[in-house]
Amino acid sequence: MQPLRLNEFLPYRLSVLAAVVSEGLARSYSEQFGIGVPEWRVMATIGEFRSITAKAIGEHAHMGKVKVSRAVASLEGRGLIQRTQNAEDMREAFLVLMPAGDDMYRQIVPMALGYAETLRAGLSRDEVAVLDQLIDKLMARATVMPSAG
Amino acid sequence: MQPLRLNEFLPYRLSVLAAVVSEGLARSYSEQFGIGVPEWRVMATIGEFRSITAKAIGEHAHMGKVKVSRAVASLEGRGLIQRTQNAEDMREAFLVLMPAGDDMYRQIVPMALGYAETLRAGLSRDEVAVLDQLIDKLMARATVMPSAG
DNA sequence: TATTGTTATACTCTATAACTATA
DNA sequence: TATAGTTATAGAGTATAACAATA
């Protein structure tokens, strides 16, 4: 049987890397702004699109509707975002950043971009490009794969 | 302000990729063998070293002592592993796979390696090598980084 | 005093499904 | 019937610290 060395095993390596990276960034914005990963992803998505429904956020930020709903409720309760029902389909609402949310967003974005920049700082321009391609390819494979075994 | 597009943001991309990859693999062994990620990591580490303490497992598999302790208790309760106190330091115990655990391990390893192989199947030999280097570099950066901002 | 490992506590997160309102 | 979104429930996972045993 082929040996399996955990520290050379791709799924394990990706999992640990993502956890370390995610925790490093999340610690910053959770300490400074008191929000968690789901709230950050919702704010980032609203900030990116300016006005968007909960469903579209879930699709864009890889979150289920329950998680989106709870993050939205939390952000709305803190006055960071506002929802306005769509008059043409009263089931859904458009979400936008309130001034306080926009302030926070404008503080988090440079910090987050700086974090990603620092991460990439050890890589050459070519390596950065290859990294992005590799992530895309692996995502495509992993998404299509039925399951192992 | 520089825009932040979530789907181009490295920490987010790594997080989603790792989650998709990890879930695909974990679904297989959880359905077939009824173990979760911590149990799999403990078994993989014992299988790799044949005999090892809980503390060393935690260091090797990036798990806290509480998580290791609970995974070990679960695996021991199912007769998959056995612990033997170290006569030279009675605080710790060496863990080994029992026959049933070894059987399971020998079924999971080829499946897990096959999964990783399928993941990499779309990559060239060069890309695989670069990927491993990139993960190492990013891990080193992320581990050293104090926090963002 | 420090270390290995376990247990307790409270807390958070999650998955599922039931539910409301609207289409 | 189907969809957008919320709420309920229960179960799993987590962090922290307290704890026992040993060094």
Side-chain angles (χ1 to χ4, degrees):
Chain A
M1 186 181 62
Q2 249 191 89
L4 187 150
R5 280 179 286 274
L6 197 59
N7 284 281
E8 297 171 7
F9 184 54
L10 183 58
Y12 171 79
R13 284 162 64 75
L14 287 174
S15 173
V16 173
L17 173 61
V20 171
V21 166
S22 183
E23 280 158 22
L25 176 61
R27 189 173 39 232
S28 293
Y29 58 67
S30 79
E31 280 173 4
Q32 288 183 52
F33 305 105
I35 62 170
V37 174
E39 287 78 20
W40 152 245
R41 288 190 183 170
V42 165
M43 287 196 70
T45 304
I46 298 176
E48 187 175 340
F49 295 97
R50 286 198 39 89
S51 175
I52 186 169
T53 66
K55 186 189 183 192
I57 291 173
E59 284 160 2
H60 187 255
H62 206 259
M63 298 163 67
K65 64 180 181 173
V66 173
K67 195 181 286 191
V68 172
S69 173
R70 289 190 175 131
V72 163
S74 158
L75 294 170
E76 194 190 19
R78 293 178 54 186
L80 298 170
I81 67 175
Q82 186 180 45
R83 63 181 117 192
T84 310
Q85 278 195 312
N86 179 4
E88 293 171 13
D89 183 344
M90 297 295 279
R91 292 175 302 185
E92 67 186 14
F94 295 113
L95 301 161
V96 297
L97 294 176
M98 296 281 281
D102 197 57
D103 279 358
M104 184 184 293
Y105 178 73
R106 285 167 186 278
Q107 289 180 262
I108 298 181
V109 166
M111 180 194 82
L113 291 172
Y115 184 87
E117 187 49 45
T118 306
L119 260 187
R120 294 182 200 249
L123 311 183
S124 72
R125 190 173 299 272
D126 277 359
E127 283 176 321
V128 170
V130 172
L131 176 61
D132 279 328
Q133 289 168 24
L134 289 174
I135 292 175
D136 284 337
K137 286 186 182 180
L138 290 171
M139 264 300 283
R141 300 288 297 178
T143 305
V144 166
M145 255 194 286
S147 74
Chain B
M1 184 181 63
Q2 248 190 90
L4 188 151
R5 280 179 286 275
L6 196 59
N7 283 281
E8 296 170 9
F9 185 53
L10 183 58
Y12 170 79
R13 283 162 65 75
L14 286 174
S15 174
V16 173
L17 173 62
V20 170
V21 166
S22 182
E23 279 157 23
L25 177 60
R27 187 172 41 229
S28 292
Y29 58 66
S30 77
E31 280 173 4
Q32 288 184 50
F33 304 105
I35 63 172
V37 173
E39 288 78 19
W40 152 244
R41 286 189 184 172
V42 165
M43 288 196 69
T45 305
I46 299 176
E48 186 174 340
F49 296 96
R50 285 199 40 87
S51 175
I52 187 169
T53 66
K55 185 188 183 193
I57 291 173
E59 284 159 2
H60 187 255
H62 206 259
M63 297 164 68
K65 64 179 181 174
V66 172
K67 195 181 286 192
V68 173
S69 174
R70 290 192 173 130
V72 163
S74 158
L75 294 170
E76 194 191 19
R78 293 178 53 185
L80 298 170
I81 67 175
Q82 188 181 42
R83 63 181 117 193
T84 310
Q85 279 195 312
N86 178 5
E88 293 170 13
D89 183 344
M90 297 295 279
R91 290 175 303 186
E92 67 186 15
F94 295 112
L95 302 161
V96 296
L97 294 176
M98 296 281 280
D102 197 57
D103 278 359
M104 185 185 291
Y105 178 72
R106 285 167 186 278
Q107 289 181 262
I108 297 180
V109 167
M111 181 193 82
L113 290 172
Y115 184 88
E117 188 48 46
T118 306
L119 261 187
R120 294 182 199 250
L123 311 182
S124 71
R125 188 172 301 270
D126 278 358
E127 283 177 321
V128 170
V130 172
L131 176 62
D132 279 330
Q133 289 167 24
L134 288 174
I135 292 175
D136 284 337
K137 287 186 182 182
L138 290 171
M139 264 301 282
R141 300 288 297 179
T143 305
V144 165
M145 255 195 286
S147 73

